[in-house]
Amino acid sequence: HDVVLGDLFEGHRSEDYDEGFAALEAVGFERVQARARALADTAPRDAVLAGISMGAGLATHIWASRPDTRGVLLLAGMAPWPDKVSPGTPVAVHAAEPDPFDDEAAFNAFAAKAPDVRLAIHRYPDVGHLFLDPVSPEHDEAADTACRDRCLGFLAGL
């Protein structure tokens, strides 16, 4: 798989959530969102959109304007359901259970608005929000491996 990653935060790096939120405030959400949109514009129109944590919200936002999206992977994050999406799009969500940033109502609302897509929500009990990040103290090897295997299966099925 070809993966396209961009620097949405002007090189800012953070060691914890507070620093991450401060970096977002310093750069500005609108600028981060515009950079994500511009980055997505460099990918084929039928590319799979994926995002981690806040990036899941960015991927969902971009998906609304890309009807040819082949699939959507939301990792360690959730976002409101976009207004316009193509029917039949495969969507997979992978998140901690519970997740400190998205309550259960967000997952239920997302699923309730997804009748025309192929939605799979995978929850990983008793892990931290960034369970996928091997340098995070929240990293969970078993959940990370299970998520990675499911994501590769998702991509292979496209």
Side-chain angles (χ1 to χ4, degrees):
H1 306 288
D2 291 330
V3 177
V4 179
L5 299 171
D7 179 5
L8 305 181
F9 291 94
E10 299 174 342
H12 291 270
R13 298 178 60 102
S14 60
E15 297 297 322
D16 59 36
Y17 295 121
D18 290 338
E19 286 181 23
F21 287 121
L24 177 61
E25 187 173 324
V27 174
F29 183 73
E30 287 181 9
R31 185 179 291 166
V32 168
Q33 194 173 45
R35 288 178 178 160
R37 208 174 305 113
L39 182 63
D41 287 345
T42 68
R45 297 296 294 171
D46 65 346
V48 173
L49 298 174
I52 300 172
S53 192
M54 184 197 71
L58 295 171
T60 303
H61 175 76
I62 292 164
W63 175 31
S65 63
R66 293 178 63 112
D68 297 331
T69 296
R70 185 173 290 169
V72 179
L73 276 170
L74 305 178
L75 307 166
M78 177 61 67
W81 190 262
D83 291 334
K84 294 170 65 176
V85 295
S86 295
T89 304
V91 179
V93 177
H94 298 268
E97 183 179 29
D99 186 273
F101 298 106
D102 296 302
D103 63 21
E104 294 309 304
F107 291 95
N108 294 334
F110 194 83
K113 292 188 174 187
D116 295 334
V117 302
R118 297 187 333 239
L119 175 65
I121 297 179
H122 303 280
R123 304 299 301 278
Y124 301 85
D126 303 318
V127 300
H129 179 70
L130 293 177
F131 68 94
L132 298 168
D133 185 351
V135 299
S136 169
E138 297 179 331
H139 183 249
D140 184 284
E141 183 86 27
D144 182 8
T145 299
C147 180
R148 186 179 319 267
D149 290 346
R150 287 175 173 151
C151 288
L152 290 173
F154 175 84
L155 294 170
L158 300 177

